[in-house]
Amino acid sequence: MKKYLLFCLLLPLAWCNAAHAQRIFIGKRAPELRIATWLADSRPAPSPLTYIEFFHTSSPSGLASLERLRELTERYDGRLRVIVIAQESQESVGDRLAPYVSEHIGVGFDPSGQSYIAFGVEYVPFGVLTNARNRILWLGNTLQLTPELIESNL
């Protein structure tokens, strides 16, 4: 009986913790990005779909995800833009990210980490696909973003 009572008391607490950890949901508006500066002062052109990529050099698959995103922006010329958010300083990672800047890919720096917090980022590569109204269409590991998923949302 004591175990059952303890379970009943702890269950709502566990549920509240899980609900608090999840900050974003598919179908809801994405939080506003907190970008202090843009690499090369270059913002990507508006498009029907935006993919927000959270990047950190500590991730071994970070550059692989950027290569994949570059290929996708070329494939969907003008219909997909990518915003890469780096929490590291421009001085430390700017040279590494500069080859990815284009008309459809921009790199923004958020040294305070406010965008990471707002989106509840716990791992990288992590990304969020949004539509023109800033509604979340998909979220997850960037390497799992498929052309079929993009096409179904265009």
Side-chain angles (χ1 to χ4, degrees), residues 82-104:
V82 173
I83 298 174
V84 178
I85 307 294
Q87 192 172 354
E88 298 164 277
S89 71
Q90 183 169 345
E91 293 77 25
S92 65
V93 297
D95 290 342
R96 190 173 295 168
L97 297 175
Y100 299 97
V101 174
S102 70
E103 180 183 358
H104 304 296

PDB file of all heavy atoms in Angstrom, residues 82-104:
ATOM      1  N   VAL A  82      18.375  27.661 -44.888  1.00  0.00           N
ATOM      2  CA  VAL A  82      18.935  27.077 -43.672  1.00  0.00           C
ATOM      3  C   VAL A  82      19.556  28.192 -42.842  1.00  0.00           C
ATOM      4  O   VAL A  82      20.297  29.023 -43.360  1.00  0.00           O
ATOM      5  CB  VAL A  82      20.003  26.007 -44.003  1.00  0.00           C
ATOM      6  CG1 VAL A  82      20.697  25.523 -42.740  1.00  0.00           C
ATOM      7  CG2 VAL A  82      19.377  24.838 -44.748  1.00  0.00           C
ATOM      8  N   ILE A  83      19.229  28.176 -41.559  1.00  0.00           N
ATOM      9  CA  ILE A  83      19.853  29.080 -40.604  1.00  0.00           C
ATOM     10  C   ILE A  83      20.621  28.209 -39.619  1.00  0.00           C
ATOM     11  O   ILE A  83      20.023  27.409 -38.893  1.00  0.00           O
ATOM     12  CB  ILE A  83      18.808  29.936 -39.866  1.00  0.00           C
ATOM     13  CG1 ILE A  83      18.042  30.805 -40.864  1.00  0.00           C
ATOM     14  CG2 ILE A  83      19.486  30.786 -38.788  1.00  0.00           C
ATOM     15  CD1 ILE A  83      16.891  31.591 -40.252  1.00  0.00           C
ATOM     16  N   VAL A  84      21.928  28.344 -39.642  1.00  0.00           N
ATOM     17  CA  VAL A  84      22.794  27.601 -38.728  1.00  0.00           C
ATOM     18  C   VAL A  84      23.021  28.488 -37.504  1.00  0.00           C
ATOM     19  O   VAL A  84      23.427  29.639 -37.636  1.00  0.00           O
ATOM     20  CB  VAL A  84      24.140  27.256 -39.392  1.00  0.00           C
ATOM     21  CG1 VAL A  84      25.052  26.519 -38.419  1.00  0.00           C
ATOM     22  CG2 VAL A  84      23.924  26.449 -40.664  1.00  0.00           C
ATOM     23  N   ILE A  85      22.750  27.937 -36.329  1.00  0.00           N
ATOM     24  CA  ILE A  85      22.939  28.678 -35.081  1.00  0.00           C
ATOM     25  C   ILE A  85      24.150  28.079 -34.367  1.00  0.00           C
ATOM     26  O   ILE A  85      24.156  26.890 -34.041  1.00  0.00           O
ATOM     27  CB  ILE A  85      21.707  28.575 -34.155  1.00  0.00           C
ATOM     28  CG1 ILE A  85      20.431  28.983 -34.877  1.00  0.00           C
ATOM     29  CG2 ILE A  85      21.925  29.389 -32.881  1.00  0.00           C
ATOM     30  CD1 ILE A  85      20.363  30.416 -35.271  1.00  0.00           C
ATOM     31  N   ALA A  86      25.151  28.893 -34.135  1.00  0.00           N
ATOM     32  CA  ALA A  86      26.348  28.460 -33.413  1.00  0.00           C
ATOM     33  C   ALA A  86      26.413  29.191 -32.079  1.00  0.00           C
ATOM     34  O   ALA A  86      26.271  30.409 -32.031  1.00  0.00           O
ATOM     35  CB  ALA A  86      27.595  28.742 -34.232  1.00  0.00           C
ATOM     36  N   GLN A  87      26.633  28.432 -31.036  1.00  0.00           N
ATOM     37  CA  GLN A  87      26.756  29.029 -29.708  1.00  0.00           C
ATOM     38  C   GLN A  87      28.211  29.447 -29.443  1.00  0.00           C
ATOM     39  O   GLN A  87      28.466  30.259 -28.578  1.00  0.00           O
ATOM     40  CB  GLN A  87      26.294  28.026 -28.649  1.00  0.00           C
ATOM     41  CG  GLN A  87      26.104  28.620 -27.292  1.00  0.00           C
ATOM     42  CD  GLN A  87      25.470  27.652 -26.329  1.00  0.00           C
ATOM     43  OE1 GLN A  87      25.070  26.561 -26.688  1.00  0.00           O
ATOM     44  NE2 GLN A  87      25.382  28.034 -25.084  1.00  0.00           N
ATOM     45  N   GLU A  88      29.110  28.910 -30.230  1.00  0.00           N
ATOM     46  CA  GLU A  88      30.516  29.267 -30.098  1.00  0.00           C
ATOM     47  C   GLU A  88      30.763  30.642 -30.718  1.00  0.00           C
ATOM     48  O   GLU A  88      29.939  31.140 -31.471  1.00  0.00           O
ATOM     49  CB  GLU A  88      31.372  28.205 -30.789  1.00  0.00           C
ATOM     50  CG  GLU A  88      31.194  26.837 -30.138  1.00  0.00           C
ATOM     51  CD  GLU A  88      31.707  25.731 -31.011  1.00  0.00           C
ATOM     52  OE1 GLU A  88      30.965  25.295 -31.911  1.00  0.00           O
ATOM     53  OE2 GLU A  88      32.859  25.311 -30.790  1.00  0.00           O
ATOM     54  N   SER A  89      31.905  31.225 -30.442  1.00  0.00           N
ATOM     55  CA  SER A  89      32.193  32.565 -30.951  1.00  0.00           C
ATOM     56  C   SER A  89      32.536  32.527 -32.435  1.00  0.00           C
ATOM     57  O   SER A  89      33.022  31.524 -32.955  1.00  0.00           O
ATOM     58  CB  SER A  89      33.355  33.186 -30.178  1.00  0.00           C
ATOM     59  OG  SER A  89      34.564  32.549 -30.522  1.00  0.00           O
ATOM     60  N   GLN A  90      32.294  33.634 -33.093  1.00  0.00           N
ATOM     61  CA  GLN A  90      32.598  33.757 -34.512  1.00  0.00           C
ATOM     62  C   GLN A  90      34.094  33.578 -34.751  1.00  0.00           C
ATOM     63  O   GLN A  90      34.502  32.982 -35.749  1.00  0.00           O
ATOM     64  CB  GLN A  90      32.128  35.113 -35.033  1.00  0.00           C
ATOM     65  CG  GLN A  90      32.335  35.293 -36.512  1.00  0.00           C
ATOM     66  CD  GLN A  90      31.633  36.527 -37.047  1.00  0.00           C
ATOM     67  OE1 GLN A  90      30.777  37.110 -36.387  1.00  0.00           O
ATOM     68  NE2 GLN A  90      31.999  36.930 -38.240  1.00  0.00           N
ATOM     69  N   GLU A  91      34.912  34.053 -33.832  1.00  0.00           N
ATOM     70  CA  GLU A  91      36.364  33.933 -33.971  1.00  0.00           C
ATOM     71  C   GLU A  91      36.808  32.473 -33.945  1.00  0.00           C
ATOM     72  O   GLU A  91      37.734  32.087 -34.647  1.00  0.00           O
ATOM     73  CB  GLU A  91      37.085  34.705 -32.849  1.00  0.00           C
ATOM     74  CG  GLU A  91      36.901  36.203 -32.919  1.00  0.00           C
ATOM     75  CD  GLU A  91      35.535  36.665 -32.415  1.00  0.00           C
ATOM     76  OE1 GLU A  91      34.901  35.962 -31.609  1.00  0.00           O
ATOM     77  OE2 GLU A  91      35.088  37.740 -32.858  1.00  0.00           O
ATOM     78  N   SER A  92      36.133  31.632 -33.163  1.00  0.00           N
ATOM     79  CA  SER A  92      36.578  30.241 -33.033  1.00  0.00           C
ATOM     80  C   SER A  92      36.043  29.319 -34.128  1.00  0.00           C
ATOM     81  O   SER A  92      36.699  28.344 -34.471  1.00  0.00           O
ATOM     82  CB  SER A  92      36.209  29.685 -31.651  1.00  0.00           C
ATOM     83  OG  SER A  92      34.808  29.627 -31.493  1.00  0.00           O
ATOM     84  N   VAL A  93      34.878  29.607 -34.700  1.00  0.00           N
ATOM     85  CA  VAL A  93      34.303  28.692 -35.697  1.00  0.00           C
ATOM     86  C   VAL A  93      33.955  29.356 -37.029  1.00  0.00           C
ATOM     87  O   VAL A  93      33.537  28.671 -37.958  1.00  0.00           O
ATOM     88  CB  VAL A  93      33.042  27.970 -35.147  1.00  0.00           C
ATOM     89  CG1 VAL A  93      33.387  27.107 -33.969  1.00  0.00           C
ATOM     90  CG2 VAL A  93      31.941  28.940 -34.828  1.00  0.00           C
ATOM     91  N   GLY A  94      34.166  30.640 -37.134  1.00  0.00           N
ATOM     92  CA  GLY A  94      33.802  31.356 -38.359  1.00  0.00           C
ATOM     93  C   GLY A  94      34.475  30.810 -39.598  1.00  0.00           C
ATOM     94  O   GLY A  94      33.832  30.633 -40.636  1.00  0.00           O
ATOM     95  N   ASP A  95      35.780  30.519 -39.513  1.00  0.00           N
ATOM     96  CA  ASP A  95      36.505  29.987 -40.676  1.00  0.00           C
ATOM     97  C   ASP A  95      35.978  28.612 -41.086  1.00  0.00           C
ATOM     98  O   ASP A  95      35.927  28.287 -42.267  1.00  0.00           O
ATOM     99  CB  ASP A  95      38.003  29.889 -40.378  1.00  0.00           C
ATOM    100  CG  ASP A  95      38.655  31.264 -40.279  1.00  0.00           C
ATOM    101  OD1 ASP A  95      38.057  32.239 -40.755  1.00  0.00           O
ATOM    102  OD2 ASP A  95      39.761  31.340 -39.707  1.00  0.00           O
ATOM    103  N   ARG A  96      35.588  27.808 -40.121  1.00  0.00           N
ATOM    104  CA  ARG A  96      35.074  26.468 -40.406  1.00  0.00           C
ATOM    105  C   ARG A  96      33.686  26.521 -41.053  1.00  0.00           C
ATOM    106  O   ARG A  96      33.327  25.669 -41.857  1.00  0.00           O
ATOM    107  CB  ARG A  96      35.004  25.665 -39.106  1.00  0.00           C
ATOM    108  CG  ARG A  96      34.716  24.204 -39.328  1.00  0.00           C
ATOM    109  CD  ARG A  96      34.810  23.414 -38.064  1.00  0.00           C
ATOM    110  NE  ARG A  96      36.183  23.448 -37.586  1.00  0.00           N
ATOM    111  CZ  ARG A  96      36.553  23.049 -36.390  1.00  0.00           C
ATOM    112  NH1 ARG A  96      35.663  22.598 -35.543  1.00  0.00           N
ATOM    113  NH2 ARG A  96      37.796  23.094 -36.015  1.00  0.00           N
ATOM    114  N   LEU A  97      32.890  27.526 -40.695  1.00  0.00           N
ATOM    115  CA  LEU A  97      31.519  27.617 -41.206  1.00  0.00           C
ATOM    116  C   LEU A  97      31.393  28.488 -42.458  1.00  0.00           C
ATOM    117  O   LEU A  97      30.396  28.397 -43.175  1.00  0.00           O
ATOM    118  CB  LEU A  97      30.597  28.139 -40.107  1.00  0.00           C
ATOM    119  CG  LEU A  97      30.469  27.249 -38.874  1.00  0.00           C
ATOM    120  CD1 LEU A  97      29.635  27.929 -37.800  1.00  0.00           C
ATOM    121  CD2 LEU A  97      29.871  25.914 -39.237  1.00  0.00           C
ATOM    122  N   ALA A  98      32.386  29.321 -42.741  1.00  0.00           N
ATOM    123  CA  ALA A  98      32.325  30.240 -43.882  1.00  0.00           C
ATOM    124  C   ALA A  98      32.050  29.557 -45.225  1.00  0.00           C
ATOM    125  O   ALA A  98      31.290  30.094 -46.034  1.00  0.00           O
ATOM    126  CB  ALA A  98      33.601  31.066 -43.961  1.00  0.00           C
ATOM    127  N   PRO A  99      32.596  28.357 -45.503  1.00  0.00           N
ATOM    128  CA  PRO A  99      32.314  27.723 -46.800  1.00  0.00           C
ATOM    129  C   PRO A  99      30.842  27.365 -47.021  1.00  0.00           C
ATOM    130  O   PRO A  99      30.436  27.119 -48.150  1.00  0.00           O
ATOM    131  CB  PRO A  99      33.169  26.453 -46.782  1.00  0.00           C
ATOM    132  CG  PRO A  99      34.220  26.702 -45.763  1.00  0.00           C
ATOM    133  CD  PRO A  99      33.602  27.620 -44.754  1.00  0.00           C
ATOM    134  N   TYR A 100      30.044  27.357 -45.972  1.00  0.00           N
ATOM    135  CA  TYR A 100      28.637  26.973 -46.099  1.00  0.00           C
ATOM    136  C   TYR A 100      27.719  28.165 -46.321  1.00  0.00           C
ATOM    137  O   TYR A 100      26.550  27.996 -46.667  1.00  0.00           O
ATOM    138  CB  TYR A 100      28.196  26.180 -44.857  1.00  0.00           C
ATOM    139  CG  TYR A 100      28.984  24.917 -44.703  1.00  0.00           C
ATOM    140  CD1 TYR A 100      30.079  24.854 -43.855  1.00  0.00           C
ATOM    141  CD2 TYR A 100      28.660  23.789 -45.451  1.00  0.00           C
ATOM    142  CE1 TYR A 100      30.830  23.696 -43.744  1.00  0.00           C
ATOM    143  CE2 TYR A 100      29.410  22.627 -45.347  1.00  0.00           C
ATOM    144  CZ  TYR A 100      30.487  22.591 -44.490  1.00  0.00           C
ATOM    145  OH  TYR A 100      31.236  21.448 -44.397  1.00  0.00           O
ATOM    146  N   VAL A 101      28.205  29.378 -46.129  1.00  0.00           N
ATOM    147  CA  VAL A 101      27.376  30.573 -46.303  1.00  0.00           C
ATOM    148  C   VAL A 101      27.070  30.754 -47.787  1.00  0.00           C
ATOM    149  O   VAL A 101      27.950  30.682 -48.635  1.00  0.00           O
ATOM    150  CB  VAL A 101      28.079  31.823 -45.735  1.00  0.00           C
ATOM    151  CG1 VAL A 101      27.284  33.077 -46.048  1.00  0.00           C
ATOM    152  CG2 VAL A 101      28.281  31.679 -44.231  1.00  0.00           C
ATOM    153  N   SER A 102      25.788  30.949 -48.076  1.00  0.00           N
ATOM    154  CA  SER A 102      25.355  31.162 -49.457  1.00  0.00           C
ATOM    155  C   SER A 102      24.079  31.998 -49.434  1.00  0.00           C
ATOM    156  O   SER A 102      23.658  32.462 -48.377  1.00  0.00           O
ATOM    157  CB  SER A 102      25.094  29.815 -50.146  1.00  0.00           C
ATOM    158  OG  SER A 102      23.932  29.215 -49.609  1.00  0.00           O
ATOM    159  N   GLU A 103      23.464  32.116 -50.588  1.00  0.00           N
ATOM    160  CA  GLU A 103      22.198  32.850 -50.671  1.00  0.00           C
ATOM    161  C   GLU A 103      21.114  32.179 -49.825  1.00  0.00           C
ATOM    162  O   GLU A 103      20.229  32.843 -49.296  1.00  0.00           O
ATOM    163  CB  GLU A 103      21.746  32.917 -52.126  1.00  0.00           C
ATOM    164  CG  GLU A 103      20.442  33.661 -52.321  1.00  0.00           C
ATOM    165  CD  GLU A 103      19.975  33.645 -53.765  1.00  0.00           C
ATOM    166  OE1 GLU A 103      20.685  33.096 -54.634  1.00  0.00           O
ATOM    167  OE2 GLU A 103      18.881  34.186 -54.016  1.00  0.00           O
ATOM    168  N   HIS A 104      21.212  30.856 -49.669  1.00  0.00           N
ATOM    169  CA  HIS A 104      20.176  30.111 -48.959  1.00  0.00           C
ATOM    170  C   HIS A 104      20.621  29.551 -47.615  1.00  0.00           C
ATOM    171  O   HIS A 104      19.830  28.895 -46.932  1.00  0.00           O
ATOM    172  CB  HIS A 104      19.667  28.974 -49.837  1.00  0.00           C
ATOM    173  CG  HIS A 104      19.159  29.435 -51.161  1.00  0.00           C
ATOM    174  ND1 HIS A 104      18.062  30.254 -51.289  1.00  0.00           N
ATOM    175  CD2 HIS A 104      19.625  29.250 -52.414  1.00  0.00           C
ATOM    176  CE1 HIS A 104      17.858  30.526 -52.561  1.00  0.00           C
ATOM    177  NE2 HIS A 104      18.800  29.930 -53.275  1.00  0.00           N
TER     178      HIS A 104
END
